[in-house]
Amino acid sequence: MEKFARSFERFKKAYRKFEEVVNNPFLPDIFKDEFLIEITTKRFEYTYEALWKTIKEFLRLRGLECNSPKSCFKEAFKEGLITTEYEEVIFDMIVLRNNLVHVYDEEMAKEIYSKIEQDKFLKAFKTIINKIEEIIQNGV
């Protein structure tokens, strides 16, 4: 349970930092686009990584093993941790995260950034946080 708790706290912290950069209307006035894109994409990546690792630990507590983001998300859907409403969003997250690893030019980075800024990712992350907190309150 301790490993799950640490993982969940990392996920919530990563989410708050991602939310902070996406929802701050003053950042575009302060930072150059290049820097803002880098910050936002990195924070998205950290949040995504923390999410799937939290799901991995959550499922481990339920006696289920998964070793990759895709397998963890698949099990999370089966367990009701993530609703089918977010199935497409999770798929988009996986694709964007995988594309981030291979960003070598500014145009591709801008394209990924414009997708990451979409509110659907923040909503999905927050919904999963709320669901996990609800499950914890009712006993894992």
Side-chain angles (χ1 to χ4, degrees), residues 6-74:
R6 282 193 316 267
S7 183
F8 187 43
E9 285 305 313
R10 276 192 295 271
F11 170 46
K12 290 191 297 186
K13 182 178 180 181
Y15 166 77
R16 286 190 300 271
K17 288 179 157 284
F18 176 57
E19 179 184 41
E20 174 183 77
V21 75
V22 170
N23 285 337
N24 189 326
F26 303 109
L27 289 181
D29 297 333
I30 298 170
F31 297 112
K32 292 181 181 180
D33 283 349
E34 181 181 306
F35 191 64
L36 189 57
I37 289 168
E38 186 176 327
I39 292 170
T40 305
T41 55
K42 262 307 175 197
R43 288 193 177 181
F44 169 81
E45 186 176 4
Y46 292 151
T47 307
Y48 170 87
E49 292 295 323
L51 168 61
W52 90 260
K53 290 175 182 175
T54 296
I55 290 171
K56 179 179 179 174
E57 289 305 314
F58 176 85
L59 294 170
R60 188 181 59 77
L61 290 175
R62 293 192 165 199
L64 301 167
E65 293 294 323
C66 60
N67 294 309
S68 70
K70 275 187 181 179
S71 66
C72 287
F73 288 127
K74 187 176 180 179

Side-chain angles (χ1 to χ4, degrees), residues 44-45 47-49 51-52 55 68-77 82 86-102 112 116 120-121 124-125:
F44 169 81
E45 186 176 4
T47 307
Y48 170 87
E49 292 295 323
L51 168 61
W52 90 260
I55 290 171
S68 70
K70 275 187 181 179
S71 66
C72 287
F73 288 127
K74 187 176 180 179
E75 289 299 323
F77 282 111
I82 305 172
Y86 290 105
E87 192 167 356
E88 188 175 317
V89 176
I90 296 296
F91 176 75
D92 290 346
M93 278 184 200
I94 293 168
V95 170
L96 286 174
R97 166 53 182 86
N98 290 342
N99 288 343
L100 279 172
V101 177
H102 304 288
I112 291 171
I116 286 173
K120 66 182 183 181
F121 296 112
F125 288 137

